[in-house]
């Protein structure tokens, strides 16, 4: 006895008209207003639409910008009505840190998108902010192992080729930022490395003095 054929996409659409219409409307808005491009539909069901994502970098960028904006708003609320130089410096550091990390939901989505994407290289390369250092680590985004122990010692002395772990859901950039007004905004996002992802340092970390913090960036490789 032959197995029953799988229902067509149109049959599935008829099952969930309101849900599917709402999802499609949301996708159209995201595409037209946010510039997010979506790939082919791979599955249709009561849980919604699953598709090959072609814009995990743009999604990560959007989430990072949102985090930065929210952090800036909260910092401004605390500093009002008088904003001192120290408060302004702290605000910039908080806003920057928020813009380089994303939520767990976005990180999970980006990870899944990589798994369903067409086959590519086994290892990926990019640049991330690894933390602030000036005599000591002020904030560290690199761990020495699976127990979330942050790295120690000078950034320039970190062994190249050694395995580290990401201590946050880090946005990966396509190049080293320039120390100018645009800074990391001039570099495209390649996606997200979820917290706990093993990675390797490919080059000596580079210091960028942003006045509010000396921030280190490094080229990394991950799978």
């Amino acid at each position: 006895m032959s197995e029953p054929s799988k229902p067509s996409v149109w049959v599935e659409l008829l099952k969930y008209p309101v849900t599917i219409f709402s999802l499609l409307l949301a996708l159209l808005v995201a595409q037209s207003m946010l510039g997010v491009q979506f790939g082919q539909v791979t599955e249709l069901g009561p849980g919604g639409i699953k598709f090959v994502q072609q814009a995990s970098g743009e999604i990560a960028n959007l989430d990072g910008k949102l985090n930065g904006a929210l952090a800036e708003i909260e910092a401004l609320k605390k500093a009002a009505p008088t904003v001192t130089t120290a408060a302004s410096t702290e605000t910039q550091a908080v806003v920057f840190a928020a813009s380089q990390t994303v939520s767990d939901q976005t990180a999970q989505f980006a990870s899944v998108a990589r798994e369903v994407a067409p086959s590519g290289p086994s290892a990926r390369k990019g640049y991330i902010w690894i933390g602030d250092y000036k005599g000591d680590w002020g904030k560290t985004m690199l761990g020495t192992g699976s127990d979330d122990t942050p790295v120690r010692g000078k950034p320039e002395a970190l062994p190249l080729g050694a395995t580290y772990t990401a201590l946050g859901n880090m946005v990966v950039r396509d190049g080293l930022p320039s120390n100018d007004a645009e800074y990391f905004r001039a570099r495209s996002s390649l996606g997200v490395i979820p917290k706990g992802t093993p990675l390797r340092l490919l080059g000596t970390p580079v210091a960028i003095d942003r006045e509010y913090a000396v921030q280190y960036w490094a080229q990394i490789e991950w799978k």
Side-chain angles (χ1 to χ4, degrees), residues 39-40 42 50-57 108-122 124 190:
Q40 296 179 341
T42 60
K50 294 182 180 179
F51 46 84
V52 176
Q53 231 292 342
Q54 298 176 334
S56 61
Q108 183 179 13
F109 174 81
S111 179
V112 171
R114 287 199 299 272
E115 291 173 4
V116 301
S119 59
S122 57
R124 297 168 183 255
L190 299 177

Side-chain angles (χ1 to χ4, degrees), residues 61 99-100 126-127 171-175 184 187-190 217:
N61 236 358
S99 67
Q100 300 310 305
Y127 290 79
V171 177
V172 186
R173 306 288 171 180
D174 65 352
F184 65 89
R187 290 296 182 178
S188 298
S189 168
L190 299 177
W217 290 75

